[in-house]
Amino acid sequence: SAVISQKPSRDICQRGTSLTIQCQVDSQVTMMFWYRQQPGQSLTLIATANQGSEATYESGFVIDKFPISRPNLTFSTLTVSNMSPEDSSIYLCSVQGSAYEQYFGPGTRLTVT
Amino acid sequence: GNSVTQMEGPVTLSEEAFLTINCTYTATGYPSLFWYVQYPGEGLQLLLKATKADDKGSNKGFEATYRKETTSFHLEKGSVQVSDSAVYFCALSDRITGNQFYFGTGTSLTVIP
């Protein structure tokens, strides 16, 4: 299994500002995923990030709001731009394992005031 | 399309009670099935998995059997503990759709002494 770390673990931000979340994996992986988990809800996939190509966004998520970088096979960032209180969520990154499972980071708990 | 339907919660049980959390799925291809657990304030942890029909996944006393005939993957544990209190997510990954994950809505379990 992969070991995944995220920074920051939590943050409180003012509306209108941006926050960049980092995701680091202990091994090289092709695909990384970013999810949002709103309070008391299930996970919603934001985008899939492959190294060397543009991220693929799911319906309802756009690059201007959630720009993603994937500079190498062990690291990715997700930026939440021009934040509003509706962006208050847990943001999780994950990677795919060898048997089609996914391994998740501990999450970044974002509160927008 | 692909989807996961999970038993509504919350579920409250006494310690040492028997646990069943129902999960059914629809899939266009050949899914792998998973149960994830999310302890309070943490990310998702893979609890168990099954990659083909009749497979049984098991871990930490939890079990689930991949039933193709009933399209189900119910989670069971014979004797729950207070430390099992968490939110449980059923999920599927379908190789036909590029291994995208589909999550159920989550079932919150509280075990009381």
Side-chain angles (χ1 to χ4, degrees):
Chain A
S1 66
V3 176
I4 304 168
S5 60
Q6 284 185 236
K7 288 181 182 179
S9 59
R10 61 179 67 242
D11 208 341
I12 300 172
C13 300
Q14 299 287 329
R15 69 171 66 209
T17 62
S18 298
L19 176 71
T20 296
I21 302 168
Q22 300 178 7
C23 179
Q24 180 76 51
V25 188
D26 69 341
S27 58
Q28 294 185 339
V29 294
T30 303
M31 298 172 72
M32 295 179 75
F33 306 89
W34 287 98
Y35 289 85
R36 181 174 73 184
Q37 185 181 24
Q38 294 178 304
Q41 303 295 314
S42 187
L43 281 74
T44 301
L45 180 65
I46 297 171
T48 302
N50 292 330
Q51 195 270 334
S53 63
E54 293 285 330
T56 302
Y57 289 82
E58 297 300 305
S59 176
F61 298 96
V62 294
I63 188 171
D64 290 347
K65 175 68 175 177
F66 298 99
I68 288 172
S69 77
R70 184 77 202 276
N72 58 53
L73 291 173
T74 63
F75 186 79
S76 179
T77 66
L78 169 77
T79 299
V80 186
S81 304
N82 188 24
M83 287 184 285
S84 67
E86 292 71 35
D87 294 320
S88 297
S89 292
I90 301 172
Y91 292 85
L92 300 114
C93 67
S94 73
V95 302
Q96 184 171 298
S98 59
Y100 310 108
E101 72 276 28
Q102 288 192 11
Y103 297 100
F104 287 83
T108 296
R109 284 151 184 78
L110 171 63
T111 301
V112 183
T113 60
Chain B
N2 296 322
S3 67
V4 175
T5 301
Q6 196 174 331
M7 173 176 156
E8 296 267 339
V11 174
T12 301
L13 294 174
S14 298
E15 206 165 22
E16 299 183 3
F18 185 87
L19 169 70
T20 300
I21 301 177
N22 291 335
C23 173
T24 57
Y25 68 90
T26 59
T28 54
Y30 308 99
S32 296
L33 300 173
F34 309 88
W35 277 100
Y36 284 84
V37 58
Q38 186 175 34
Y39 297 104
E42 299 185 13
L44 271 70
Q45 298 179 22
L46 178 63
L47 181 59
L48 53 83
K49 65 186 178 188
T51 58
K52 62 182 187 296
D54 300 325
D55 271 1
K56 177 186 283 188
S58 61
N59 186 25
K60 299 181 182 179
F62 291 89
E63 292 184 342
T65 301
Y66 188 165
R67 302 282 189 200
K68 189 175 180 181
E69 63 275 14
T70 54
T71 61
S72 65
F73 193 56
H74 304 321
L75 181 69
E76 296 182 335
K77 187 175 185 182
S79 176
V80 293
Q81 306 300 312
V82 172
S83 58
D84 294 325
S85 298
V87 180
Y88 293 82
F89 292 93
C90 185
L92 77 81
S93 172
D94 188 342
R95 277 158 271 178
I96 297 294
T97 54
N99 296 315
Q100 182 173 346
F101 257 54
Y102 299 84
F103 284 93
T105 52
T107 301
S108 174
L109 170 67
T110 300
V111 180
I112 55 177

